[in-house]
Amino acid sequence: MAHLLMVESWVGSMSRLLPRAMREAGHEFTFLTRDLHHYLRSAPEGTAHPLLGARHVLTAETNDTDGLLPFVERAHEVLRFDGVVTSCDYYLRTAARIAGRLGLPGPTPEAVENACRKDATRRVLAEAGLPGPRFALCVDWAETAAAARAIGYPLVLKPVDLCAGMFVRRVDDETALADAHRALAAFPVNARGQRRDPVVLLEELLDGPEVSVETVSYDGAVHVVGVTDKSVGGEPAFIETGHMFPAALDPADAEAAAETARRALKALGLDGVVAHTEIKLTADGPRLVEVNPRPAGNRITELVRHVTGIDLAAACVDVALGREPDLRRRATGLTSAAIGFLVPDEDGVLEAVDGADAVRAADDLLELWLADPGKSVRAAGSNNEYLGHVMAGDARGPGARDRVASLLAGLRPRVVAR
């Protein structure tokens, strides 16, 4: 039995999948957070959040890493941790620094820092010779407008230190650029109370389908588990509306995407990590969008598990302990699995989702999750506003996406004005 330190967490599926993986492996964990109520509020009424299954809950200011390290050292002297994990992007760098300070397994803090910062990722990959979009880093509006004119529209404006597609916008002219720049500037502190870097990343718009490569890096080797496809909507935002694993790709395209991910992870020096690397398949070849040094969100890890039997949450725990992960494929009865999301396009309050009973009765349904009536709804601008999802599988081929689309079409959210 091992004892892991979990530093904060997302409140979505990974806040359940990682505790489950630790529990099923016979491990236990201590949960470290600055605000336990952040998680208690996310648990359905009448249920206990899986994070409360921790052996201990420690409270400290996790947004101050320099001040946190001595606290964790003192806790380690008493509790003896064997590894450090987190699922939350905003604390990946903190977890890496803690593991490094305590001499525990994991990727180097520098590698995680460069992967978590979109500007640093671009710099490192460009220096390594990986082809990517033309880009510019801008510190103010004048610099942003000038860089946009130099690169040429259409462009993508991105914050360098947010996630879930927040404030990532397509811009086709200077008016749209000014609107996107102004909106981002009005969000100086992220959802975890951390002050943002005001640097703006401008990138040439890449044209082509987007996929993600799911990998596990261990002992210097990058193991590609598979390639997931992605559907995107909500323009000018980039909202993930669905995924299918494995992606329905020509084998040459799948291998090219996988090789691009391998090269990116090697260039960044990421080892001892489960990663989710997003790539655009352009007419000029694969182009990297971003590298996420943690398991995929949006239930992609569960799509992988349903098709291959590989548990990426368990792999995340294994590599955090310096142990070889179990990546053996197992027969599951499914050839493909897909998920589709209910994306709101209006503001209001959710009254109900009609059609749920029929979807729930579908033979090939794997998961149905719907937001509770009374939820405050706003038109989606990122991947944080979903009203639910449908997951389904196909035992005969790559038909899971079409099946999900059919089931999703039977769900009709009723949103009433506030």
Side-chain angles (χ1 to χ4, degrees):
M1 175 188 290
H3 182 198
L4 292 104
L5 176 67
M6 184 184 292
V7 184
E8 301 287 5
S9 171
W10 286 125
V11 295
S13 63
M14 266 299 155
S15 71
R16 292 161 174 77
L17 293 176
L18 275 180
R20 183 202 72 190
M22 287 185 276
R23 183 181 66 252
E24 290 180 353
H27 306 317
E28 56 187 5
F29 69 99
T30 288
F31 185 49
L32 173 61
T33 178
R34 67 194 296 263
D35 179 14
L36 184 60
H37 293 285
H38 180 80
Y39 303 94
L40 301 182
R41 289 190 295 267
S42 71
E45 187 174 352
T47 66
H49 197 288
L51 293 171
L52 293 184
R55 174 177 164 187
H56 307 283
V57 176
L58 306 179
T59 302
E61 182 47 82
T62 52
N63 286 350
D64 176 13
T65 307
D66 289 338
L68 181 66
L69 290 173
F71 172 85
V72 173
E73 283 183 315
R74 292 193 297 273
H76 181 54
E77 291 174 1
V78 177
L79 302 177
R80 306 309 303 173
F81 305 120
D82 301 298
V84 187
V85 293
T86 184
S87 65
C88 182
D89 295 53
Y90 298 134
Y91 296 97
L92 290 166
R93 289 170 284 186
T94 303
R97 285 190 61 188
I98 290 172
R101 183 71 161 259
L102 300 183
L104 298 175
T108 67
E110 180 184 13
V112 175
E113 174 77 23
N114 286 336
C116 289
R117 290 272 310 202
K118 294 179 177 66
D119 51 344
T121 300
R122 284 281 174 244
R123 173 182 53 77
V124 170
L125 297 188
E127 291 173 354
L130 270 77
R134 290 174 293 155
F135 70 94
L137 300 174
C138 312
V139 297
D140 57 29
W141 165 246
E143 199 171 287
T144 302
R149 290 191 291 269
I151 297 173
Y153 295 97
L155 294 164
V156 179
L157 177 144
K158 297 180 177 180
V160 298
D161 53 4
L162 289 175
C163 53
M166 292 184 69
F167 295 97
V168 178
R169 295 293 182 268
R170 171 181 173 142
V171 292
D172 292 306
D173 53 40
E174 190 161 304
T175 299
L177 180 66
D179 290 343
H181 190 276
R182 190 179 307 112
L184 178 56
F187 191 76
V189 178
N190 70 26
R192 294 305 181 96
Q194 300 167 339
R195 184 155 292 278
R196 292 189 46 255
D197 191 321
V199 172
V200 169
L201 177 61
L202 284 186
E203 294 180 354
E204 168 191 12
L205 180 69
L206 297 172
D207 186 27
E210 186 171 339
V211 299
S212 62
V213 183
E214 321 310 334
T215 58
V216 181
S217 300
Y218 176 73
D219 201 20
V222 177
H223 304 273
V224 175
V225 175
V227 181
T228 311
D229 76 10
K230 177 187 298 187
S231 55
V232 179
E235 197 173 295
F238 294 84
I239 301 171
E240 297 177 3
T241 59
H243 305 275
M244 185 172 77
F245 183 89
L249 293 176
D250 178 277
D253 286 337
E255 178 51 37
E259 180 58 23
T260 299
R262 290 189 195 98
R263 291 181 62 196
L265 291 166
K266 289 290 188 180
L268 289 163
L270 282 169
D271 193 21
V273 68
V274 177
H276 169 72
T277 303
E278 297 176 343
I279 292 169
K280 280 269 195 176
L281 301 176
T282 76
D284 297 320
R287 297 292 183 266
L288 190 133
V289 176
E290 63 184 41
V291 178
N292 299 282
R294 43 82 177 155
N298 270 355
R299 305 292 286 174
I300 290 173
T301 57
E302 293 304 278
L303 300 182
V304 172
R305 186 176 62 84
H306 281 301
V307 174
T308 69
I310 296 172
D311 187 341
L312 289 174
C316 183
V317 173
D318 285 335
V319 296
L321 293 170
R323 300 178 181 180
E324 183 175 0
D326 183 359
L327 302 179
R328 293 172 297 171
R329 292 175 179 262
R330 299 167 177 82
T332 65
L334 291 180
T335 306
S336 64
I339 188 169
F341 300 99
L342 274 179
V343 181
D345 57 8
E346 59 183 325
D347 297 342
V349 175
L350 182 65
E351 189 172 75
V353 179
D354 297 328
D357 289 343
V359 171
R360 198 171 282 113
D363 291 338
D364 42 8
L365 180 73
L366 296 173
E367 289 183 11
L368 172 64
W369 171 79
L370 298 172
D372 293 329
K375 174 183 172 62
S376 180
V377 177
R378 61 179 178 178
S382 71
N383 301 330
N384 292 326
E385 284 94 27
Y386 299 135
L387 295 181
H389 70 248
V390 173
M391 186 187 295
D394 181 12
R396 295 171 295 280
R401 175 181 287 286
D402 289 343
R403 183 55 177 149
V404 163
S406 174
L407 293 172
L408 204 60
L411 296 174
R412 300 174 299 281
R414 275 190 278 131
V415 177
V416 297
R418 289 187 180 88

